[in-house]
Amino acid sequence: MSKITIPFGPQHPALKEPENFMLVLEGEQISGATINLGYNHRGMEKAAEDRTYIQNLYLIERVCGICSHSHTTCYITNVEELAKAEVPQRALAIRTLFGELERVHSHLLWLGVAGYEMGFETLFMYTWRDREQVLDCLELLSGNRVHYSINTIGGVRRDITAEQKAEVKKRIKYLEERTQYYIKLATGEPTVLARTQDVGRLPYDVAIERGAVGPTARASGVARDVRKDDPYLIYSQLDFKVITHNTNDVFGRLVVRALELVESYKLIHQILDGLPEGPIAVKVPWKLPAGEAVNHYEAPRGEDIHYLKANGTDKPERLKVRAPTLANLQSVAYMLEGGWLADVPLVIAAIDPCMSCTDRAAVWNPEKGRTEVYSWEEMRKLGIEHYKRRGVDFGRL
Amino acid sequence: MKIPAKVFSEVITHLFKKPATTAYPFEKAKLFPNYRGRIDFDSPKCIGCQICVRVCPAKAIEIPLSAHQPPAAAPAEGQPAAAAKKKFDCIMKLDHCVFCAQCVESCPKKALLMTQDFELASVNRKELRRHYK
């Protein structure tokens, strides 16, 4: 059968963010896949170099909407390490609490997206409705649903009162019940099984070879979790299990995420019950001594790595972010090969991709050198000219 | 165990439940007391130290000197004339602001206040540049 190459994305109804997959098809079957990144690039690492450490906190938070706490915590651990600041235990516990609440909200979001991609929209509606509970918890504690801004250099910005604690526990209890129902539903419903079993296979040795991280790796039986392997914050004092599964397919990734939700609820209760007393922040000077630091953090999607180089001023010299999606994309190419075209959206969604996290190289046009606001007409003209250079004329449309 | 159409019972019970959505804007939106909205300014407290301008991650604040300065208080007898306290304005660019409230936290005199206003959308860009006097 003759081979044809089709582009999947950057604009495609199945993709939530722009990225491009070039798929080589033999009939309906995929025989090769190449991934092209860079459509969501915003130049954040470069932008971080001319902002102070405290301003960067809010910039780094916007690397990703879903793991906003993961990125800031990883960044701030580097800053505190360089400043040699002693962060109070209560602040660390509150950071851990937010990390787990964030994991709950991210995994519930994924469960909904996976339901949507497999055509099970009832699951999507119900998980997203219940996700509001955890988003309300986050708004109650921090003041915002998505960008919590709870971290500050040297601690956290807001304390937790007894009433807030009771309210969060109440909502988490409700979510625990609902999650048990979803686990039963997702593992017993023939629609889910037919759509996810043996789809996007990633065997154990390939997962290790391609450096898969997070739930994607754990669903291939790789028991790798930064929270256990190299405990940060207060994870060493908490009791939880690393969830793994050995079916190596999308179904395994679904089960891993669903069971991780249960572990996260357990952790939230433990943290709230044993919240240490004391101050929530210490003062840290504006300028950091010269030095380098690297830290990793288990974000909901996998291991997130930040590198920070300080040069003695109040601004970093270099900041590098390695988001978990970048590590998992190598595995996606493998998972797609040999599969069917109709499974592509589900396989891509199964790693919980976050392209905003991943795209961060800098491009600056020195000819313009000023901020411009494009109107719709100008955007259209730009697009037509761009394609004309490539030999396609859209001008008559 | 495979049980087909298991979700149906759940779907049917939801037909008789209240909708999960709210009727905003016809109903008032429920906000938590911690919610970070528009930043307000209390001019008499401001000392013009510009810390808020330095910490703002979005370059949304300007603290210029007011056009009309209050006159110096009449000097008390036998005492040197006290310098008049300078008055400052605040220009808050709502289209730049990311509502992180770091300025409120950094202000040493509590001259910046966090409010719960969130209905700030406007089709006119000029309206987004608030000048607090």
Side-chain angles (χ1 to χ4, degrees), chain A residues 38-50:
Chain A
Y39 296 94
N40 227 350
H41 165 67
R42 291 163 294 165
M44 281 206 167
E45 286 172 13
K46 191 72 192 164
E49 287 168 23
D50 51 44

Side-chain angles (χ1 to χ4, degrees), chain B residues 51-112:
Chain B
I51 286 180
C52 51
V53 180
R54 274 166 65 202
V55 296
C56 181
K59 304 186 175 77
I61 314 176
E62 277 171 35
I63 305 281
L65 264 177
S66 298
H68 300 287
Q69 292 295 332
E77 236 170 90
Q79 302 238 325
K85 187 186 169 297
K86 281 183 188 158
K87 190 175 178 307
F88 292 91
D89 283 2
C90 173
I91 295 170
M92 180 64 75
K93 295 169 220 155
L94 291 178
D95 49 346
H96 285 218
C97 182
V98 296
F99 302 97
C100 64
Q102 179 65 43
C103 49
V104 177
E105 219 154 276
S106 296
C107 184
K109 294 287 172 193
K110 307 253 179 298
L112 287 158

Side-chain angles (χ1 to χ4, degrees), chain A residues 199-200 250 253 332 335-336 343-352:
Chain A
V199 172
V250 175
R253 280 158 226 153
V332 171
M335 289 186 228
L336 289 174
D343 291 334
V344 172
L346 187 61
V347 171
I348 295 171
I351 66 155
D352 204 355

Side-chain angles (χ1 to χ4, degrees), chain A residues 31-294:
Chain A
S31 62
T34 350
I35 298 164
N36 298 313
L37 291 171
Y39 296 94
N40 227 350
H41 165 67
R42 291 163 294 165
M44 281 206 167
E45 286 172 13
K46 191 72 192 164
E49 287 168 23
D50 51 44
R51 280 168 172 76
T52 60
Y53 288 106
I54 192 97
Q55 286 175 328
N56 272 332
L57 199 56
Y58 301 101
L59 180 74
I60 297 305
E61 191 162 47
R62 279 153 183 83
V63 165
C64 176
I66 307 295
C67 13
S68 60
H69 185 74
S70 310
H71 283 291
T72 47
T73 311
C74 201
Y75 162 76
I76 218 154
T77 319
N78 280 335
V79 174
E80 282 157 2
E81 200 176 297
L82 288 174
K84 297 189 179 63
E86 279 282 324
V87 184
Q89 278 297 311
R90 191 176 172 86
L92 292 181
I94 293 175
R95 279 182 193 173
T96 319
L97 174 71
F98 271 80
E100 288 312 310
L101 284 172
E102 183 179 78
R103 198 178 311 279
V104 170
H105 116 70
S106 173
H107 281 4
L108 280 174
L109 174 124
W110 182 85
L111 212 58
V113 170
Y116 175 77
E117 298 288 6
M118 65 178 93
F120 189 6
E121 293 197 17
T122 321
L123 183 68
F124 162 64
M125 290 289 179
Y126 288 164
T127 45
W128 278 44
R129 182 200 59 192
D130 292 334
R131 181 172 160 257
E132 287 301 307
Q133 295 294 331
V134 65
L135 288 176
D136 279 351
C137 283
L138 287 163
E139 189 184 339
L140 171 78
L141 297 177
S142 72
N144 225 327
R145 286 157 52 96
V146 176
H147 291 307
Y148 333 116
S149 304
I150 192 76
N151 282 330
T152 189
I153 298 174
V156 291
R157 292 171 66 189
R158 281 175 180 178
D159 207 352
I160 294 178
T161 62
E163 296 93 69
Q164 285 173 336
K165 217 192 270 185
E167 180 70 28
V168 172
K169 286 194 112 180
K170 200 182 90 195
R171 285 170 191 264
I172 294 297
K173 205 147 250 160
Y174 166 79
L175 279 178
E176 271 174 288
E177 275 168 35
R178 294 297 304 173
T179 308
Q180 289 304 337
Y181 173 72
Y182 293 135
I183 293 173
K184 258 195 241 153
L185 183 71
T187 52
E189 176 73 42
T191 328
V192 178
L193 295 175
R195 202 69 191 79
T196 56
Q197 272 181 335
D198 275 332
V199 172
R201 289 188 66 82
L202 182 73
Y204 177 82
D205 39 330
V206 182
I208 290 187
E209 186 189 295
R210 302 215 168 199
V213 292
T216 313
R218 292 197 281 276
S220 297
V222 186
R224 196 179 281 166
D225 190 324
V226 186
R227 294 177 292 171
K228 263 286 192 260
D229 301 341
D230 180 16
Y232 52 94
L233 300 177
I234 60 161
Y235 282 111
S236 55
Q237 304 160 28
L238 301 171
D239 168 40
F240 66 102
K241 282 202 302 266
V242 175
I243 307 287
T244 56
H245 206 264
N246 53 10
T247 51
N248 307 350
D249 53 6
V250 175
F251 180 70
R253 280 158 226 153
L254 196 146
V255 172
V256 165
R257 288 202 175 88
L259 294 178
E260 269 183 23
L261 278 175
V262 180
E263 288 301 307
S264 285
Y265 299 142
K266 228 168 76 186
L267 282 171
I268 291 168
H269 284 301
Q270 283 178 36
I271 299 163
L272 283 176
D273 290 338
L275 207 59
E277 294 298 320
I280 55 164
V282 289
K283 270 217 177 303
V284 175
W286 279 56
K287 287 183 182 175
L288 290 196
E292 292 172 297
V294 183

Side-chain angles (χ1 to χ4, degrees), chain B residues 21 27 35 37 42 45 58 60 64 66-67 94 98-99 106 115 127 131:
Chain B
T21 47
E27 247 171 51
Y35 181 79
D42 188 1
K45 283 187 188 164
S66 298
L94 291 178
V98 296
F99 302 97
S106 296
T115 68
E127 267 175 41
H131 195 146

